[in-house]
Amino acid sequence: MAVAWQQQIFALDARYNAHRAPNHANFRTLYIRRRSQLLRENRNLSPEHLKSYLKIRGQLLQKRYGSPLDQPSIGHSRSMSLRSVSRVSGDFGDARLNIQNTGTVSGLVPTKQADASRAIVGGNSIAENYAFTGVHHIFDQHKSSVVMVKFANNDRSRLLCASSDGTLSICEVAVEKPYLAAVLRGHTQPVTGCDWSASNDLVASCSQDGSVRLWDSKNGTCLRSIQDKLLCPLQCCLFQPTNCNLVITGNNKGELRIINVSTGRAPLGGYCRVGGSVLSIGCDINGQLWWVGTNKGEIISITCDITGRLRKVRKFQIAGNNCLITSISWRAWISREARDPSLLVNCSNNKLALFRVMDKEGNLQLKWSFNNKQSDNNMIRSTFCPIMSFRQGACVVTGSDDGQVYFVDIERPPNRAIVTVLQGHANASFGLSFNYDESLLATSDKEGLVIIWRRAS
């Protein structure tokens, strides 16, 4: 109970932080870090004292600075209906999958019957499993928004951060004193995406300067820089999961391209055009099926064979033409109870949506949607929780325009789906990533702050 009050105090300070020394971002960051440290040092205070302190501090801050920054509200989502998939001429099919104002819950993983799986995690409720003890550390090495954070594969400690200031950084976080291990410099414009190779020895990044770069993750040196064929900004990149020589990129002109980072060239057939601007990419565990999100409210499924040849298969109109698909995450849901491949999607019409992957061509079926604060100006992202298949309930995490980080149970109706809310960012929360054992969660925001949250064991 005391932890909850401490988090509310921290959130209150974060909301007012932009009012402090508005021309000195470094001071504001130092101040909020010190506030977090003081809260950690006073863990023995009773909930009653913390509650009283929160009330008094709120009154003092309001008297000193006035009302806190206005938070964006959920806009009116576009009204749409669900239609079945229809095949058109050739191999490319169109469909309209429209996100309703009310979500649907049907055919999810039957974890309520999974007594053996629940026993593995002690039979705790989903809220107990995702309780956090507070802030583990705060990083402030970036001068502009941190658009993406990613823990290394099957790694507890190494965290990759991509920033609009044109740099990337690698942090060691699962240690007594977290520290900045390396800063990757080379891009001349904002970094828009990044990824770890399967073995974590390489890092790929893309930027609005039109280049994709390959880095040595151990010493931070740039091994290769490859320019986009059309010299236009790149918005996202991912390693091919089974071949770290191949990186897939998407640019502002709607082109998807696979690049062999060893040669700097695209394999034969490793290119396709999807239209609009490619903003997000997701793929299955084998890299054979990909989904691409655009700024036209569309998701396109694409197959990729062993040689790197790309082929468009289906196009789904998720929302209106001006809606941005900012994040796509794939999950196999493999457990002893069921297999239910799914996509988690963030849309700028204030929606977090979950789709079932129906077949090997990437056909999608809407399963559930949730009202989430997201405007066209912010690249909000979401992710599945790593160990969800062994617990009652199925939890996903998303950032939002209001700076809060929401843990949402997709087995519940949307109006009762929120499990936990982390409050600490004063601006829109963009990136988020769990380490593989869920002991730490990293989140980032529009001001360049990266917060490492410690989950209760």
Side-chain angles (χ1 to χ4, degrees):
M1 186 65 179
V3 172
W5 286 110
Q6 287 173 336
Q7 191 181 120
Q8 289 189 45
I9 295 169
F10 182 73
L12 178 68
D13 279 301
R15 284 198 296 273
Y16 279 98
N17 202 39
H19 291 284
R20 301 182 183 95
N23 297 323
H24 300 279
N26 290 338
F27 172 80
R28 297 199 304 272
T29 301
L30 181 64
Y31 179 89
I32 201 68
R33 289 181 67 175
R34 179 57 179 159
R35 290 292 299 158
S36 172
Q37 181 182 355
L38 289 172
L39 287 171
R40 291 198 304 269
E41 292 173 353
N42 290 277
R43 293 178 181 175
N44 296 326
L45 292 176
S46 67
E48 290 76 16
H49 285 104
L50 290 170
K51 182 178 180 180
S52 176
Y53 176 82
L54 176 64
K55 181 179 179 181
I56 296 171
R57 183 161 182 80
Q59 293 171 346
L60 291 173
L61 287 172
Q62 187 173 10
K63 185 177 180 180
R64 174 67 177 83
Y65 298 110
S67 298
L69 294 177
D70 293 333
Q71 301 294 350
S73 59
I74 297 179
H76 294 290
S77 58
R78 301 166 177 85
S79 176
M80 295 167 281
S81 61
L82 178 64
R83 299 180 186 176
S84 59
V85 176
S86 59
R87 184 179 293 273
V88 295
S89 59
D91 294 326
F92 191 56
D94 289 347
R96 186 170 293 277
L97 290 173
N98 297 320
I99 305 171
Q100 303 289 346
N101 289 330
T102 57
T104 58
V105 181
S106 61
L108 298 180
V109 176
T111 50
K112 291 183 180 179
Q113 288 76 37
D115 294 334
S117 293
R118 291 206 300 272
I120 293 176
V121 291
N124 293 335
S125 68
I126 193 167
E128 291 171 327
N129 282 317
Y130 292 108
F132 283 75
T133 60
V135 175
H136 175 63
H137 193 74
I138 298 176
F139 288 97
D140 59 351
Q141 66 270 16
H142 291 289
K143 299 178 181 179
S144 186
S145 58
V146 175
V147 296
M148 181 177 287
V149 290
K150 279 190 177 183
F151 274 102
N153 301 304
N154 299 316
D155 194 298
R156 294 186 67 249
S157 190
R158 282 192 294 172
L159 178 70
L160 177 65
C161 308
S163 174
S164 295
D165 65 10
T167 67
L168 300 99
S169 60
I170 298 176
C171 308
E172 289 285 349
V173 301
V175 292
E176 184 176 350
K177 294 183 178 180
Y179 62 93
L180 178 63
V183 177
L184 315 183
R185 294 185 173 89
H187 288 294
T188 58
Q189 292 188 37
V191 179
T192 52
C194 61
D195 195 24
W196 294 89
S197 65
S199 59
N200 297 325
D201 57 338
L202 299 174
V203 165
S205 64
C206 62
S207 167
Q208 290 183 11
D209 63 14
S211 70
V212 56
R213 287 177 176 261
L214 189 71
W215 311 82
D216 186 322
S217 64
K218 294 181 180 179
N219 55 32
T221 58
C222 182
L223 303 176
R224 181 179 289 273
S225 178
I226 304 165
Q227 199 69 28
D228 180 72
K229 292 287 185 181
L230 299 179
L231 304 178
C232 67
L234 296 175
Q235 296 293 341
C236 48
C237 65
L238 275 182
F239 275 104
Q240 216 280 357
T242 57
N243 185 351
C244 65
N245 275 329
L246 301 181
V247 174
I248 190 166
T249 65
N251 67 21
N252 267 1
K253 293 189 177 179
E255 293 186 347
L256 206 67
R257 190 181 301 273
I258 285 188
I259 300 173
N260 187 317
V261 292
S262 295
T263 64
R265 299 178 179 179
L268 183 65
Y271 159 86
C272 69
R273 186 174 179 82
V274 298
S277 177
V278 178
L279 301 180
S280 53
I281 305 174
C283 70
D284 65 13
I285 195 171
N286 298 313
Q288 297 175 353
L289 188 58
W290 298 72
W291 292 268
V292 176
T294 74
N295 65 339
K296 292 186 175 182
E298 297 174 344
I299 294 179
I300 297 93
S301 66
I302 295 172
T303 59
C304 178
D305 63 23
I306 194 171
T307 65
R309 184 184 297 271
L310 301 176
R311 182 175 70 90
K312 292 185 292 185
V313 183
R314 292 286 184 272
K315 179 170 69 176
F316 306 95
Q317 189 72 43
I318 303 301
N321 288 334
N322 295 323
C323 179
L324 279 57
I325 309 298
T326 60
S327 176
I328 298 178
S329 300
W330 176 86
R331 175 80 183 208
W333 289 56
I334 297 175
S335 72
R336 68 185 84 181
E337 288 82 40
R339 185 183 186 277
D340 192 14
S342 301
L343 283 189
L344 185 65
V345 177
N346 285 93
C347 309
S348 67
N349 64 343
N350 298 305
K351 289 292 181 181
L352 174 69
L354 186 75
F355 296 93
R356 176 182 286 114
V357 179
M358 303 299 293
D359 52 36
K360 293 182 179 180
E361 292 189 336
N363 278 312
L364 302 177
Q365 180 186 66
L366 178 66
K367 294 169 59 173
W368 177 90
S369 68
F370 171 77
N371 288 331
N372 189 48
K373 300 179 178 69
Q374 179 175 354
S375 66
D376 291 341
N377 299 323
N378 294 324
M379 296 290 290
I380 304 298
R381 306 183 193 276
S382 61
T383 186
F384 292 97
C385 293
I387 318 178
M388 62 195 304
S389 61
F390 292 108
R391 291 179 173 152
Q392 183 176 6
C395 204
V396 299
V397 193
T398 183
S400 67
D401 274 4
D402 61 14
Q404 301 188 91
V405 178
Y406 294 95
F407 286 71
V408 185
D409 185 355
I410 56 180
E411 287 195 335
R412 297 180 185 176
N415 60 345
R416 297 190 294 107
I418 296 177
V419 175
T420 300
V421 180
L422 298 181
Q423 305 174 70
H425 294 288
N427 296 279
S429 51
F430 287 163
L432 40 81
S433 178
F434 261 116
N435 63 354
Y436 83 99
D437 66 355
E438 287 188 343
S439 59
L440 298 172
L441 172 70
T443 60
S444 66
D445 67 23
K446 198 170 185 175
E447 206 171 59
L449 213 62
V450 177
I451 300 179
I452 311 298
W453 306 86
R454 183 175 54 253
R455 191 175 67 85
S457 57

